[in-house]
Every structure is written in C-alpha cells, then in structure tokens.
C-alpha cells in the first residue's frame, strides 16, 4: 500500500485537500481526528491528561476543555512537551493500526498530519505531500475560519516549522494560492499520479 503523508501549515488548505481526495474514494487517516477521539470522555488518554494537568481542564460536562489546554501549553513549552509525550505515541500507534486495517484494493491512502515534519513522522509514509500557501493567505483564511485575531494566527504560524523547511521535505507540492477550482485540479492530477505509482508498486 502506497502511503502519502499530507501536511501543511495552518490555513494552507490541508483539510480542503483531504476532503477532495476522499470524494475521489481515497481513504484518509486524519491525525487530528484521532487526537480528538483519544480525549473523548471515558478514554484512558483523557484520564492521563487530567492526572497531569488537573481537573480544571474539564468543562462542566466532563469533556476536555481543549481551548484552555491549548492556551496553557502554548504559554508553557515544557507543558507542551508533556502533552505531546502523552498524545503523540498514542496517535502514532492508532495511525499504524488503521494503516494495517486498510483494504489493499484502495491502491494508496493519505495520512493527514499537520505536524508531520515537526514530529519527524516521515518514516510512516512513502511520500510527503505539502499544501503550500503564502503566509498572508494563511492568516486571512485562519482568522476568517476560526474567528481568531491576526496576532493569534501569526503566533500559531510562527510555532510551526518554517515554510521553506516544510517545502524542502516535500516530494509533491500543492500550491493553494488560487481559487478552489485550481486546488481541485491539482488534487485530481496528483490522484492520477498516485494511482499510477501505486499500480507500479504492486
Ligand atoms: P487547514 O486544514 O490547512 O488549516 P483548511 O482546508 O481548513 O486549512 O482551509 C482554511 C480555510 O480556507 C477554510 O475555511 C477553507 O474553506 C478555505 N480555503 C482553503 N483553500 C481555499 C481556496 N483555494 N479558496 C478559497 N478558500 C479556501
């Protein structure tokens, strides 16, 4: 099975790209979705997080207050590393479990990992696909989508790996600085290419 790692900075258009591959019938394993599922009420990972960060990270319904936790670890790098030490191995193990369960008829699959390069998880994939957009475009899309301020968007972008470093790690690049039709055309061209590569791998 050919495994493609999909990554890109916040607001680059990763989720939009992933959805388009899905409509073409490509299985997508999403690391963010896995991260969210791991901290659902009743999950052992949630208990581990609460043990470490305290029960004030729960809302009144017993769900993880993700915004509060995010804010806390954003301000304290050591705590950020602690949270990553809890979450990353579990997310990685779940990605591997899902890869093992994929049907071989799919030909190829995508793993969407926003922090693929930052986490050094390239070993999970055979090719790295980067969705790239200019910084100003990232800021515009993120502030519109998430209702955050320009400063908050800039802080997130600065916390991620630099655009050039990400591009250097790429085997394939989608340039998402045009309209949605231009984005879809690039996805469809890559889909053909990946199908051919997967066929050759058989
Ligand atoms: P990411 O997952 O990389 O953070 P998204 O795919 O969620 O980014 O895109 C961020 C926002 O920008 C979304 O609201 C999305 O609909 C919009 N968007 C992405 N690409 C384009 C584009 N080419 N044209 C217009 N809007 C776009």
């Amino acid at each position: 099975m050919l495994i493609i790692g999909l990554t890109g900075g916040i607001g680059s258009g990763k989720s939009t790209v992933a959805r388009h591959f899905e409509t073409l019938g490509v299985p997508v394993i999403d690391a963010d979705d896995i991260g969210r599922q791991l901290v659902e009420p009743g999950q052992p990972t949630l208990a581990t997080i609460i043990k470490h960060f305290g029960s004030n990270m729960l809302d009144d319904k017993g769900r993880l207050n993700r915004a509060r936790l995010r804010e806390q670890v954003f301000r304290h790098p050591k705590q950020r590393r602690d949270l990553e030490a809890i979450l990353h191995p579990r997310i990685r193990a779940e990605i591997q479990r899902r890869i093992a369960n994929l049907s071989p008829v799919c030909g190829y699959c995508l793993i969407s990992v926003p922090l693929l390069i930052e986490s050094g998880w390239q070993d999970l994939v055979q090719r790295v696909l980067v969705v790239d957009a200019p910084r100003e475009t990232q800021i515009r899309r993120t502030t519109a989508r998430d209702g955050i301020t320009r400063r908050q968007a800039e802080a997130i972008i600065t916390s991620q790996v630099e655009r050039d470093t990400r591009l250097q790690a790429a085997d394939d690049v989608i340039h998402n600085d045009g309209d949605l039709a231009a984005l879809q055309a690039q996805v469809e061209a890559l889909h053909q290419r990946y199908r051919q590569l997967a066929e050759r791998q058989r």
Side-chain angles (χ1 to χ4, degrees), residues 32 35-36 39 57 63-71:
D32 274 355
R36 275 189 287 273
V39 299
M57 289 298 162
R63 304 185 69 88
L64 183 65
N65 187 332
R66 292 166 56 88
R68 184 178 293 168
L69 182 61
R70 204 180 305 125
E71 203 176 297

Side-chain angles (χ1 to χ4, degrees), residues 37-55:
Q37 288 159 13
L38 282 173
V39 299
E40 292 277 315
Q43 291 294 324
T45 307
L46 178 60
T48 308
I49 289 173
I50 295 309
K51 201 169 157 203
H52 191 87
F53 291 92
S55 54

